[in-house]
Amino acid sequence: MARLVSLSGKVSQVSQSSMTHGSAWHGPGSDSTVPALSFRVGDHLTYYKGHPAVGEGDLVTVAGLDDGGVIKALAIRNRSTGVDYGGATALQYLVLVVATLVGLLTVTVGGLGLLLLAIAGWIWSRVRRRSHALTMVRAPSPPRGPKPV
């Protein structure tokens, strides 16, 4: 499993793109497009699904999953503008609560309740990881420059 890491630095090589996902199953199908941003923070290639306002030369702190040297950012703090991006969404919390409640209410109905509780546990792990990433980027940045003697 990829580990959660945090790094700070100056942004360079910003590139906007989009990812399109689709499926067709006995019908016209559907697709969705997700905006994506890739950039470098120091020497590290960083990738973020979404559209944060991050530009060349901005000072940022990112927290995300280290996937073979590429940081898949879950949260970004643009220290130049003071704006945070990422973290768990209200929809994730809502789905977590609904899956947990329905799972608890239907636990006696075959395996349905246990399946919903397992799904709620998986959602909880993702919400917790995203919330922790946002906490990591909100931590005070270390002072820059040489250390006093």
Side-chain angles (χ1 to χ4, degrees):
M1 180 173 197
R3 63 190 178 116
L4 194 60
V5 297
S6 175
L7 62 115
S8 296
K10 192 176 277 196
V11 171
S12 63
Q13 300 178 7
V14 178
S15 173
Q16 299 252 349
S17 62
S18 61
M19 295 177 62
T20 302
H21 302 279
S23 65
W25 186 260
H26 298 292
S30 65
D31 63 1
S32 63
T33 302
V34 177
L37 186 72
S38 63
F39 54 94
R40 290 197 170 275
V41 177
D43 300 356
H44 296 31
L45 180 60
T46 306
Y47 182 76
Y48 182 77
K49 289 181 186 176
H51 43 79
V54 174
E56 294 283 334
D58 284 353
L59 293 175
V60 298
T61 300
V62 298
L65 302 173
D66 185 355
D67 188 20
V70 176
I71 307 299
K72 293 183 177 176
L74 298 173
I76 300 173
R77 169 167 265 196
N78 187 335
R79 296 200 178 276
S80 298
T81 62
V83 179
D84 297 334
Y85 303 94
T89 65
L91 180 61
Q92 288 173 319
Y93 282 109
L94 178 65
V95 171
L96 171 64
V97 168
V98 169
T100 302
L101 290 176
V102 173
L104 289 172
L105 292 173
T106 60
V107 77
T108 59
V109 181
L112 180 63
L114 295 177
L115 176 65
L116 287 171
L117 289 174
I119 291 170
W122 177 75
I123 294 169
W124 172 247
S125 70
R126 295 182 62 94
V127 165
R128 193 168 149 237
R129 184 172 56 193
R130 286 183 159 278
S131 297
H132 184 63
L134 190 59
T135 301
M136 289 171 74
V137 300
R138 287 180 173 167
S141 63
R144 297 188 165 266
K147 294 182 181 178
V149 179

